[in-house]
Amino acid sequence: MTNKNKDTLWMSGNEAIALGAYEAGVKVASGYPGTPSTEIMENLSCYEGVYTEWAPNEKVGLEVAIGASFAGSRALATMKHVGLNVAADPLFTASYTGINGGLVLVCADDPEMHSSQNEQDNRNYAFAAKMPMLEPSEPMEAKEMLKTAFDLSEDLDTPVILRITTRIAHVKGVVKKGERIAATDGEISKNPSKLVMLPGMARKRRVYVEERMNRCQNLAETAAFNRIEKGDTKRGFITSGVSYLYVKEAFPDAAVLKLGMCWPLPEKKIREFAGMVDELYVVEELDPFMEIHIKAMGIDCRGKDCVPNQGELNTAIVRNSIDADSKLELFEEVPLPMRPPNMCAGCPHRGIFFNLSRMKVFVSGDIGCYTLGFLPPLSAMDSCVCMGASVSIAHGIAKAVGEGAHDKVVSVIGDSTFIHSGITGLINSVYNDSASTLIILDNRITAMTGQQQNPASGYNMKGEAASQLDLEALCRAVGVKHVYKVNPHDVPETRKVMKEAVEQNEMSVVISEAPCVLLPEMKERKPVSYFTNQENCVGCMSCIRLGCPAISWTTFAEGEAEERGYRKKQKGISKIDEILCNDCGQCASLCKFNAITRKEEK
Amino acid sequence: MEGSGNILFSGVGGQGILLASEITAYSLLAAGHDAKKSEVHGMAQRGGSVTAQLRYGKKVYSPLIEPGQADIQVAFEMMEAVRYLPYLHKGSKVIVNTQKILPPAVATGQAEYPADVLDNLIKREIVVVPVDAFDLAREVGEVRTANVVMVGAMSPFLPVNPEVYEDIIRARVPAKFRDANLRAFEAGRRVSE
Ligand SMILES: Cc1ncc(C[n+]2csc(CCOP(=O)(O)OP(=O)(O)O)c2C)c(N)n1
Ligand code: SF4
Ligand code: SF4
């Protein structure tokens, strides 16, 4: 865009992968949002001639892609690393059926857990599911590898995984545009002995899987993406993905074997390289994946005995872990107040968590913006494991506690997360007679990952009107007898309903209905705010305990309270920043002293 | 093209750091450098501390700046100018918006905003360039251009002619904010020239 050549672009890895999918002639793409993978689908949806959709979860997304592949079109599924756990079931058997049109799954791992609950290393899936995995080092390579992945998929009759990490997905670099292959329309063609995985047929395909992986390994021996870069042979490095970049900077003169395909491994090439160098190092982020397999070939190498197996690597970590005396003297950190993320001013979730923080219940939490309800001053979440787990964990707790548990456990889940994998948990709770309470936080969007549409929002990925899931009707249909709806911004009123729901001796659901403040229609509202009548403020701190970023507290200096005409004992006063306020009214609904009022016009 | 360097952008979610780092990156590319930039999305954007790392040179491999190797830091908030101290070295240049945004513990009266926070940099022989970006943005008639004021204030420290930045701003900013942004860039540049 800036360079003289209009085909030279500046793109993130995710943008580059979307372009690669377009160039590869992908016909159908389905995904579920998840940092750091989300922008692939968002960008792909802007290209003509590619069908894109948000699926309710990763398993559904992958199955949609498998279907499109069976019909003969090129198909893509995208997800974050933990999403592959959800999609693992179709993945393992699609490995047996193989494909018709090329099928590629992009999974984005998150070493260091910038935005994730664990840092699992998904290279292990390629080994376990017996399919090839490619691993680029930078955006341009990611685009090209995605195209290579489609070719491999069709050559070898296999799904292929493209594994990226945060430092590819969200790194921008120079990318060159390529030619596009036109997308192929699918057609109905039957091939049951390949596609119906009954044991008899699956056993035959199992044999094929082994042949295919042998062929893939042979191909890996000569493919351009696995390359030896000649250099100083005192130390040689086998590396892949972003680690390659760190090795190139830490040891610019050393010989390197860069593996673009991290499974299956090219054994002959590795032996050849090992024979060239005096000392062999394997540098990889997270698990000793290549190291274990290289050692199993009987090749001596060093790896996780010096390079950390936790968190991200960088040039300094790679250099210092191999050359301990290369460490630089660094300035030490200065202790500063932390600046953790917080729910937005006016976030509907805040009202619910404020109420929960005042109820004596175990809060079984889930994943979304509302997980921030864990942080002070709300501190109202007691467990959070994976998407959809809130309701089933609450059921387990209730069953373990037994008699009298009904008013002690509350689960909290977002709309997108409920649809992703909470519905089955709710069905179980009703079927197996739980008496806990589920709160569904319906903010009409998948907010955490940057506002994606979902089946309850009424719009599809392209923003066109779509069928809208009726959450209340769904809860009633699965047998919940006590379903309430609340406006979370009216905090005291919501508390009454929550108490009533919790006291029920049968499963109850409270649906909290109010939109995320970052929705376009919320941002376009007439800017109105609340303000503090400071003369009425008695310093009770009720509003401060909401933790709204628009409200701040000023502590009085010695004698200041009296000087300013407040009670002698008053410790300070609260103030709303009218620019930050988003007009939710929660603080006003809590203030008993008429110190917070709404301004008609900002 | 000669020269290479590492620029760290730091601030609080919502301050326009991404646009500032994009304008800088495009300007470096237009001047003929290779570049890579790393950002973190997701949780970090809900009002927490955010950073973007930009590296340029003849050929850039790693997208991450090594600790102790940031030559320039563009900090959009005073405390966020000091939080990444281990990334700086003696002589690093820190362009800092002299604005305070209270973190939750300070806003709720649990902690205090550290006094004279920039002294932590000055006493380590780091060059501090304070910029009242808000005031300057107000003067050019658009408070939302504070991020471009910061780019202006950083610009003399990079091997890129001012015309290049101006071309990029013209090309990348929506028409109705274009003039305000160009004035904001000028105003910022005057602070450090
Ligand atoms: C299996 C899996 N897929 C995706 C994610 C990423 N992710 C975290 S929360 C979330 C959805 C949050 O949406 P919602 O439940 O509506 O809550 P909100 O953020 O809107 O409050 C997603 C997609 C994940 N953590 N795990
Ligand atoms: S993005 Fe929406 S749901 Fe998330 S914290 Fe902000 S208001 Fe709440
Ligand atoms: S009304 Fe009160 S709680 Fe709501 S955003 Fe404004 S200051 Fe915050």
Side-chain angles (χ1 to χ4, degrees):
Chain A
M1 278 169 231
T2 58
N3 290 33
K4 288 104 224 158
N5 185 345
K6 71 174 182 2
D7 292 338
T8 304
L9 308 169
W10 167 253
M11 284 189 152
S12 71
N14 283 349
E15 290 167 326
I17 290 170
L19 175 60
Y22 172 73
E23 289 177 359
V26 166
K27 174 80 195 292
V28 173
S30 186
Y32 182 71
T35 316
S37 71
T38 313
E39 301 83 3
I40 301 173
M41 290 298 294
E42 287 177 334
N43 280 285
L44 189 52
S45 73
C46 302
Y47 291 98
E48 287 290 324
V50 189
Y51 170 79
T52 51
E53 65 173 28
W54 286 129
N57 67 30
E58 295 84 352
K59 174 177 178 329
V60 174
L62 178 57
E63 289 158 351
V64 169
I66 292 172
S69 158
F70 284 176
S73 295
R74 285 194 160 183
L76 179 76
T78 71
M79 59 199 65
K80 71 181 282 166
H81 62 334
V82 286
L84 196 46
N85 302 334
V86 180
D89 200 7
L91 180 79
F92 277 68
T93 304
S95 172
Y96 286 23
T97 61
I99 55 96
N100 188 8
L103 174 62
V104 177
L105 182 161
V106 179
C107 89
D109 286 16
D110 189 18
E112 196 77 37
M113 296 169 271
H114 295 287
S115 325
S116 306
Q117 66 268 37
N118 77 28
E119 61 172 8
Q120 68 188 48
D121 187 333
N122 275 8
R123 292 177 301 170
N124 295 297
Y125 270 114
F127 170 74
K130 304 181 191 302
M131 57 180 67
M133 178 180 270
L134 295 173
E135 210 186 4
S137 302
E138 48 192 356
M140 176 65 197
E141 196 182 23
K143 182 182 87 118
E144 292 308 309
M145 270 194 179
L146 184 75
K147 298 201 274 186
T148 307
F150 275 105
D151 293 342
L152 276 175
S153 168
E154 287 165 2
D155 286 352
L156 296 167
D157 187 10
T158 178
V160 175
I161 304 175
L162 181 81
R163 176 201 187 232
I164 57 171
T165 55
T166 304
R167 300 305 181 178
I168 290 158
H170 292 162
V171 159
K172 287 199 156 184
V174 176
V175 170
K176 288 200 173 57
K177 246 188 186 158
E179 291 294 315
R180 178 175 189 230
I181 308 169
T184 314
D185 288 336
E187 53 185 43
I188 304 298
S189 69
K190 300 192 179 185
N191 191 357
S193 61
K194 173 167 153 63
L195 303 184
V196 180
M197 284 302 96
L198 280 170
M201 264 101 70
R203 277 184 213 113
K204 290 193 190 109
R205 292 295 299 176
R206 174 72 188 86
V207 176
Y208 173 74
V209 167
E210 226 46 40
E211 282 169 28
R212 161 185 92 205
M213 290 312 278
N214 287 338
R215 256 172 59 214
C216 187
Q217 191 180 348
N218 286 337
L219 186 151
E221 298 288 358
T222 51
F225 48 68
N226 292 333
R227 63 167 187 264
I228 292 177
E229 296 179 357
K230 294 219 168 86
D232 184 353
T233 54
K234 260 208 297 302
R235 274 187 193 140
F237 295 89
I238 298 182
T239 183
S240 73
V242 279
S243 307
Y244 163 77
L245 305 174
Y246 307 140
V247 167
K248 289 299 275 184
E249 288 202 347
F251 302 100
D253 301 322
V256 172
L257 170 54
K258 179 192 188 304
L259 295 179
M261 183 183 271
C262 60
W263 191 255
L265 293 175
E267 185 167 340
K268 288 188 204 113
K269 194 162 229 159
I270 290 172
R271 270 188 210 292
E272 175 195 339
F273 184 72
M276 283 164 51
V277 302
D278 300 342
E279 211 180 355
L280 183 62
Y281 284 86
V282 179
V283 178
E284 55 193 326
E285 261 174 357
L286 303 179
D287 293 348
F289 179 78
M290 297 188 294
E291 182 185 347
I292 287 176
H293 292 289
I294 290 170
K295 284 188 168 152
M297 296 169 193
I299 297 170
D300 192 27
C301 63
R302 297 193 60 188
K304 294 295 165 187
D305 58 315
C306 45
V307 181
N309 67 354
Q310 295 177 37
E312 284 185 317
L313 300 180
N314 61 36
T315 304
I317 294 173
V318 169
R319 187 190 301 113
N320 298 339
S321 58
I322 290 168
D323 267 345
D325 45 356
S326 63
K327 274 205 179 101
L328 281 181
E329 281 275 343
L330 297 177
F331 291 134
E332 271 181 43
E333 262 178 56
V334 175
L336 293 170
M338 297 278 284
R339 198 186 293 278
N342 188 358
M343 290 183 251
C344 304
C347 176
H349 301 333
R350 184 172 282 110
I352 297 290
F353 281 91
F354 179 83
N355 282 327
L356 285 169
S357 72
R358 270 147 188 75
M359 293 167 77
K360 289 197 176 63
V361 289
F362 183 99
V363 181
S364 172
D366 222 302
I367 307 191
C369 279
Y370 49 95
T371 313
L372 296 170
F374 162 76
L375 294 172
L378 298 169
S379 307
M381 190 174 288
D382 300 302
S383 69
C384 171
V385 178
C386 65
M387 284 187 77
S390 54
V391 55
S392 3
I393 286 179
H395 175 66
I397 291 174
K399 288 295 169 189
V401 172
E403 202 59 30
H406 70 278
D407 58 356
K408 298 187 179 61
V409 200
V410 173
S411 49
V412 191
I413 196 166
D415 49 352
S416 184
T417 305
F418 178 64
I419 297 162
H420 177 280
S421 49
I423 297 172
T424 39
L426 179 63
I427 292 173
N428 182 53
S429 300
V430 176
Y431 173 54
N432 287 312
D433 196 21
S434 215
S436 64
T437 299
L438 169 66
I439 301 174
I440 303 175
L441 303 164
D442 180 9
N443 61 354
R444 293 229 303 268
I445 205 79
T446 314
M448 169 88 253
T449 41
Q451 277 73 42
Q452 290 77 33
Q453 305 295 346
N454 69 46
S457 73
Y459 297 93
N460 67 15
M461 175 181 255
K462 292 201 187 254
E464 302 152 349
S467 165
Q468 183 170 14
L469 177 64
D470 180 339
L471 293 171
E472 182 187 359
L474 184 141
C475 293
R476 292 199 190 280
V478 303
V480 182
K481 290 191 202 116
H482 313 281
V483 184
Y484 307 84
K485 280 191 177 179
V486 293
N487 166 14
H489 295 314
D490 186 340
V491 179
E493 201 48 47
T494 297
R495 169 101 61 103
K496 280 190 215 145
V497 177
M498 285 166 67
K499 279 183 90 168
E500 186 183 326
V502 164
E503 276 156 19
Q504 296 291 351
N505 219 340
E506 291 176 304
M507 189 69 204
S508 58
V509 172
V510 178
I511 304 174
S512 161
E513 286 187 321
C516 163
V517 297
L518 294 189
L519 285 179
E521 61 267 35
M522 295 296 283
K523 287 192 187 160
E524 281 157 16
R525 284 172 312 168
K526 196 169 73 172
V528 180
S529 77
Y530 281 74
F531 71 101
T532 339
N533 317 301
Q534 282 195 312
E535 65 283 1
N536 288 356
C537 178
V538 299
C540 71
M541 288 187 118
S542 287
C543 58
I544 292 287
R545 288 190 196 101
L546 270 171
C548 171
I551 312 179
S552 63
W553 174 254
T554 312
T555 307
F556 285 147
E558 193 61 33
E560 190 184 344
E562 271 183 303
E563 237 167 70
R564 293 177 58 173
Y566 294 100
R567 280 172 309 118
K568 192 173 170 196
K569 277 193 171 158
Q570 184 164 334
K571 295 217 171 68
I573 43 168
S574 150
K575 181 164 172 38
I576 293 176
D577 180 333
E578 293 171 31
I579 294 179
L580 296 179
C581 171
N582 267 323
D583 191 27
C584 76
Q586 291 177 22
C587 55
S589 80
L590 284 170
C591 180
K592 296 200 178 79
F593 302 94
N594 202 17
I596 301 178
T597 21
R598 187 165 190 252
K599 240 188 195 167
E600 277 318 311
E601 201 97 8
K602 242 191 211 177
Chain B
M1 198 36 80
E2 285 305 300
S4 65
N6 299 320
I7 312 167
L8 177 67
F9 294 83
S10 65
V12 179
Q15 281 191 300
I17 291 179
L18 291 191
L19 179 68
S21 63
E22 280 296 272
I23 291 175
T24 312
Y26 274 113
S27 304
L28 286 161
L29 291 172
H33 298 274
D34 184 24
K36 274 207 185 112
K37 190 179 84 165
S38 195
E39 306 160 354
V40 169
H41 302 199
M43 251 331 186
Q45 283 176 317
R46 300 276 169 279
S49 301
V50 283
T51 60
Q53 309 190 12
L54 175 60
R55 305 189 64 221
Y56 69 95
K58 224 171 133 149
K59 158 94 187 138
V60 177
Y61 284 102
S62 165
L64 297 178
I65 300 175
E66 283 187 59
Q69 302 287 336
D71 308 303
I72 296 175
Q73 184 183 4
V74 186
F76 284 63
E77 200 273 352
M78 291 214 285
M79 218 158 73
E80 302 309 310
V82 179
R83 195 178 299 283
Y84 304 95
L85 193 53
Y87 277 88
L88 303 177
H89 55 78
K90 224 195 227 180
S92 292
K93 294 172 186 69
V94 179
I95 327 299
V96 51
N97 180 12
T98 51
Q99 191 197 359
K100 282 186 191 174
I101 298 178
L102 307 185
V106 175
T108 55
Q110 314 290 308
E112 275 183 39
Y113 196 99
D116 303 321
V117 69
L118 296 178
D119 287 353
N120 287 301
L121 303 177
I122 296 163
K123 72 180 181 210
R124 290 177 174 85
E125 296 176 51
I126 290 163
V127 182
V128 174
V129 182
V131 185
D132 191 339
F134 255 132
D135 235 31
L136 291 173
R138 209 172 292 130
E139 275 169 30
V140 306
E142 177 52 77
V143 286
R144 281 173 291 183
T145 60
N147 52 355
V148 177
V149 171
M150 294 300 290
V151 175
M154 174 213 53
S155 62
F157 300 105
L158 290 183
V160 178
N161 292 330
E163 301 74 49
V164 176
Y165 293 97
E166 286 162 8
D167 285 347
I168 297 297
I169 292 171
R170 260 181 230 112
R172 307 213 56 87
V173 172
K176 68 177 173 175
F177 299 116
R178 201 168 286 155
D179 290 340
N181 276 287
L182 286 168
R183 289 197 300 273
F185 177 80
E186 282 286 308
R189 188 157 173 109
R190 268 193 306 263
V191 175
S192 343
E193 255 178 356

